[in-house]
Amino acid sequence: KALLALPLFLTYRLPFNPDLQQWRDADGFSIGRDLLYKSTMPADQMLAWSRLPNLLFGVLLVALTGWWASRLWGSRAALLAMALAALEPNLVAHSSLVTTDIGVTLFIFLTVYLFWEYVNRPRWTFLVGTGMSTGMALVAKYSAVLLIPIIALIVAASLLRGSKPDVPLPKTWNPNTRQHKLLQATAVLSLILFVALLAIPPAYLFQGFKPWLSGFQQFLTLSQEGLPAFFFGEYSWHNWWSYFPLAFLIKTPVGTLVIVTISLVFYRSGSPLAYRQALFLVLPVTLIFLAMTQAKTNIGLRHILPVYPFLFVLASRTATLRLRRPSLALLLIGIPLACTAISSLRIVPHHLAYFNESV
């Protein structure tokens, strides 16, 4: 939130004098409304300046998606991943708003990517970077706390599978035993969490952990109480387990869904989808969907926005499929990608209201 306010603050230094009663009541809506519509600057101009950082985050997310796809499966896969990301209506929509969703999506994706680099090339820089990115995700949005079990499972599964972490061990230890592998995994996870915790106080101008914990308590309360939501003709305070899976299916371009499905169905074709790749790309998506089936805040697809970059990298593997006829490649990849482009571009600039052809 501070980053989103920064361009406006540095450029115009608007006076911020909220009503004292609103400030005491922590009435954020009224304070924000007065700032927007009672300031000397037009509200649209203020919003435009504050949207710039998210636009930058969106560009970085597209670039990181392409970079990871390139590291996994080459330049053609990178182009496909970046095309899917750049055309995704939900990413475009939330890269154009003053909200925390695209920022937390970037940092969750960056965290998992950096740890993938660490597993492939065990270096302290990647491990510290993973911790810093985790901390940035936690201060970007409280729901990023889900990143902790995701990283914990990936750490345990990758190190138990045979990866060798760059952590100091006593010479008497046998790093190949299960017990010592568990200790290694614990040490790696502990370091990640320690660095993540160090990243929290600077975001609150070194006021300690109390502000973050206070907000996190409010987040937990809201998660338990829920919010009123609308879903397929029903209006309720209670959650629907199918809300996010169905929202994903009707608000993601059909062409994108086809390419993701092809990558999963033909997981042995082309460059096969190996265990480690599935661990880093499929596990986060699965855990996010499972967790959100229990969420009581069914108020929009943005809560599962972090699944998209993982799915785009996964889908980019289709660029490695070796087909006997070039026309089949056009059929399997080219046509669905064109359908995604047409579906997304036809709704410009109203991407937030996007639904795919099934609706």
Side-chain angles (χ1 to χ4, degrees):
K1 290 179 179 179
L3 286 172
L4 297 178
L6 194 60
L8 186 64
F9 175 75
L10 294 177
T11 307
Y12 291 99
R13 299 300 293 263
L14 290 173
F16 181 60
N17 300 306
D19 180 89
L20 288 178
Q21 189 58 45
Q22 293 175 358
W23 187 257
R24 293 189 190 101
D25 296 339
D27 187 356
F29 178 84
S30 298
I31 294 170
R33 179 194 58 202
D34 290 349
L35 177 68
L36 276 175
Y37 298 108
K38 292 184 179 181
S39 296
T40 54
M41 272 184 78
D44 287 346
Q45 189 175 348
M46 295 171 67
L47 290 171
W49 277 95
S50 299
R51 286 168 177 158
L52 288 176
N54 264 351
L55 189 61
L56 176 61
F57 285 155
V59 171
L60 291 175
L61 185 61
V62 172
L64 181 58
T65 302
W67 173 253
W68 196 357
S70 174
R71 296 274 288 117
L72 285 168
W73 295 301
S75 57
R76 293 178 63 185
L79 290 173
L80 178 57
M82 292 178 70
L84 290 172
L87 292 168
E88 173 54 45
N90 299 292
L91 290 187
V92 173
H94 291 285
S95 297
S96 310
L97 299 174
V98 190
T99 59
T100 57
D101 299 289
I102 202 71
V104 76
T105 297
L106 172 63
F107 288 120
I108 287 175
F109 188 59
L110 178 62
T111 297
V112 179
Y113 162 72
L114 288 173
F115 190 70
W116 175 83
E117 287 282 13
Y118 172 76
V119 169
N120 285 277
R121 295 182 293 166
R123 296 177 184 173
W124 282 94
T125 51
F126 290 129
L127 198 57
V128 172
T130 301
M132 292 179 63
S133 183
T134 302
M136 292 297 290
L138 290 174
V139 298
K141 194 171 184 178
Y142 289 111
S143 59
V145 72
L146 183 60
L147 182 58
I148 295 176
I150 290 174
I151 286 295
L153 285 175
I154 292 177
V155 167
S158 59
L159 295 184
L160 289 174
R161 187 80 176 185
S163 299
K164 297 180 180 180
D166 184 21
V167 292
L169 296 172
K171 294 181 179 179
T172 56
W173 279 23
N174 180 1
N176 296 319
T177 64
R178 182 171 292 272
Q179 179 183 4
H180 291 161
K181 285 183 177 180
L182 282 172
L183 290 172
Q184 289 175 339
T186 302
V188 168
L189 182 61
S190 298
L191 181 59
I192 291 172
L193 294 179
F194 175 73
V195 175
L197 289 175
L198 292 180
I200 292 177
Y204 291 87
L205 301 179
F206 299 98
Q207 298 181 63
F209 294 97
K210 187 176 180 180
W212 188 89
L213 291 172
S214 175
F216 185 63
Q217 183 61 48
Q218 295 178 38
F219 164 76
L220 292 178
T221 302
L222 184 63
S223 300
Q224 293 170 0
E225 294 177 352
L227 289 170
F230 177 83
F231 184 58
F232 281 100
E234 296 183 14
Y235 186 77
S236 174
W237 282 77
H238 304 288
N239 69 313
W240 300 271
W241 71 266
S242 58
Y243 179 92
F244 287 104
L246 286 177
F248 172 79
L249 290 175
I250 63 178
K251 284 185 68 68
T252 304
V254 173
T256 299
L257 294 175
V258 168
I259 298 175
V260 172
T261 303
I262 290 172
S263 180
L264 289 170
V265 171
F266 298 100
Y267 69 96
R268 291 184 177 180
S269 302
S271 296
L273 183 65
Y275 168 83
R276 182 177 293 177
Q277 295 159 355
L279 179 66
F280 281 87
L281 297 176
V282 179
L283 179 65
V285 174
T286 304
L287 289 179
I288 290 171
F289 270 114
L290 286 175
M292 296 311 291
T293 60
Q294 306 303 312
K296 291 187 178 180
T297 51
N298 298 162
I299 55 172
L301 186 78
R302 62 194 179 91
H303 292 285
I304 58 167
L305 206 64
V307 305
Y308 281 98
F310 294 103
L311 291 175
F312 296 149
V313 176
L314 177 67
S316 72
R317 196 189 61 83
T318 58
T320 69
L321 297 182
R322 298 179 181 88
L323 303 172
R324 294 180 180 178
R325 299 179 181 178
S327 57
L328 290 177
L330 176 65
L331 182 66
L332 287 176
I333 303 173
I335 293 178
L337 184 60
C339 289
T340 290
I342 294 170
S343 182
S344 177
L345 294 174
R346 69 181 172 81
I347 201 172
V348 172
H350 309 293
H351 292 93
L352 194 64
Y354 175 82
F355 285 91
N356 68 23
E357 288 68 27
S358 67
V359 172

